[in-house]
Amino acid sequence: MNDQFVKEARNIEQLSDGFTLYNGVQIPVLGFGTWLMPNDDLGIASVRKALEAGYRHIDTAAVYKNEESVREGIRQSGVPREEIFLTTKLANPEHGYETSLKAFQASLERLGTDYVDLYLIHWPNPAKFRNCWEEANAETWRAFEELYEAGKIRAIGVSNFREHHLEALAKSWKIKPMVNQIHLCPGNLPASQVAYCLDREILIESYSPLGRGQILEIETLRELAETKAKTIPQIVLRWHLQKGFVALPKSVTPVYIKENAQIFDFVLSVDEMAVIDSVLEGSCGSPTDPDTTDF
């Protein structure tokens, strides 16, 4: 397996440090996730607080319906746009060449920017395209490549793509994805999917890296956290970093937003990493099957 990102992780010391995508673009190792974040003052404040805490990577999506709050949170923070790595994703009903171009422009307008740092196909096999998903993805990716070559996107990628989805897309791509964002946490580490991506220099991003809260109930993680004088989320996020994954924790609580970012003053040993590796499968929830979703 290509261990480029693991090697880079050894030299990461702060939130703004990152991994190098195969096209040379730097992506900060820890992002602020916004799934279920409201599109209101609370959402705005959450993005602002994240940026004040040092985050320089914000992850949103058209389907989250909070791109406007992300825009306003960034504006209120005073952090220059060029210092922020901003990701959004294409909504499921918008697959196809022309519709993808229009959807991307709509996201730019909601985000108040003229480019994004990373744009992802959110799901590979939406219900609307269940009988023609390969063709729909190929046309969508053609639009992504065009936008990338025009300089409107600094990196392009996918989300929730398994090996067969990537194999199908590879038949027509000119530019391979730089990122695959998947549901990944202790007890849910899809080894073959991860290996497939890393062997092709495709970075893995972990959404729901804390298992949507289930990790707080795992005794072995609690014991390890106590020995490190850290919280369970902190040791789990550190595990993601040392694995060479970008983690995207989400919170609207200021104390947790700040706490999740405090993972650069300690290191997990090989044995401690193995403890987290050994969490029972399914302990942190299971990923949604992209080929059977009803959305």
Side-chain angles (χ1 to χ4, degrees):
M1 183 188 298
N2 187 325
D3 62 354
Q4 167 204 342
F5 302 119
V6 174
K7 291 177 181 176
E8 284 191 290
R10 296 170 188 157
N11 298 317
I12 289 172
E13 299 178 346
Q14 58 188 352
L15 267 174
S16 57
D17 289 341
F19 296 125
T20 306
L21 301 177
Y22 78 76
N23 69 338
V25 168
Q26 286 274 319
I27 179 170
V29 69
L30 195 70
F32 182 68
T34 64
W35 179 61
L36 297 181
M37 187 188 80
N39 196 41
D40 58 14
D41 288 345
L42 176 60
I44 293 168
S46 299
V47 172
R48 188 182 70 246
K49 289 292 185 183
L51 292 167
E52 289 171 356
Y55 290 82
R56 290 297 180 266
H57 178 178
I58 307 294
D59 180 273
T60 185
V63 73
Y64 299 169
K65 299 188 183 301
N66 58 20
E67 290 172 315
E68 294 92 346
S69 287
V70 169
R71 176 194 67 212
E72 184 60 15
I74 291 172
R75 188 192 69 79
Q76 290 187 13
S77 76
V79 177
R81 168 67 184 91
E82 61 270 18
E83 293 182 13
I84 298 169
F85 192 97
L86 182 59
T87 299
T88 193
K89 310 176 192 77
L90 179 73
N92 282 353
E94 308 302 330
H95 285 209
Y97 176 74
E98 293 291 347
T99 47
S100 292
L101 293 175
K102 292 176 182 177
F104 175 75
Q105 185 59 38
S107 278
L108 286 187
E109 292 170 5
R110 290 189 293 267
L111 288 164
T113 185
D114 57 3
Y115 74 99
V116 295
D117 297 277
L118 177 62
Y119 197 44
L120 305 177
I121 300 178
H122 205 157
W123 289 88
N125 191 356
K128 180 178 177 180
F129 299 97
R130 188 60 38 88
N131 296 322
C132 59
W133 63 268
E134 291 190 41
E135 296 85 354
N137 283 343
E139 285 300 289
T140 299
W141 195 251
R142 183 162 68 91
F144 275 45
E145 291 174 331
E146 183 176 297
L147 291 165
Y148 172 74
E149 291 175 335
K152 293 182 177 294
I153 308 170
R154 297 179 65 224
I156 51 178
V158 296
S159 180
N160 298 296
F161 273 54
R162 296 183 176 175
E163 295 98 308
H164 63 284
H165 302 124
L166 289 164
E167 285 289 328
L169 191 60
K171 296 174 184 177
S172 61
W173 72 38
K174 293 189 301 179
I175 303 168
K176 67 184 177 183
M178 291 139 199
V179 170
N180 189 8
Q181 185 180 121
I182 62 175
H183 181 196
L184 192 156
C185 56
N188 177 37
L189 179 58
S192 64
Q193 185 180 14
V194 169
Y196 181 95
C197 290
L198 296 185
D199 283 345
R200 291 158 179 78
E201 301 179 297
I202 300 172
L203 176 74
I204 294 292
E205 283 191 317
S206 307
Y207 71 80
S208 298
L210 305 178
R212 297 171 187 167
Q214 293 101 317
I215 59 164
L216 301 176
E217 309 301 322
I218 299 174
E219 182 64 18
T220 55
L221 296 183
R222 184 188 64 79
E223 293 173 355
L224 177 57
E226 289 179 354
T227 67
K228 303 296 285 187
K230 288 291 180 178
T231 67
I232 292 175
Q234 285 171 333
I235 65 165
V236 169
L237 291 172
R238 182 73 202 188
W239 173 82
H240 283 273
L241 165 60
Q242 291 182 212
K243 286 283 190 183
F245 307 144
V246 169
L248 302 168
K250 175 260 176 183
S251 179
V252 295
T253 306
V255 65
Y256 295 141
I257 291 172
K258 185 176 181 180
E259 187 179 90
N260 287 341
Q262 296 171 336
I263 62 170
F264 300 94
D265 58 351
F266 72 102
V267 175
L268 295 169
S269 69
V270 172
D271 288 344
E272 289 166 339
M273 290 288 286
V275 168
I276 302 177
D277 287 340
S278 69
V279 169
L280 290 177
E281 185 175 354
S283 298
C284 294
S286 300
T288 300
D289 185 339
D291 291 317
T292 61
T293 61
D294 59 359
F295 51 83

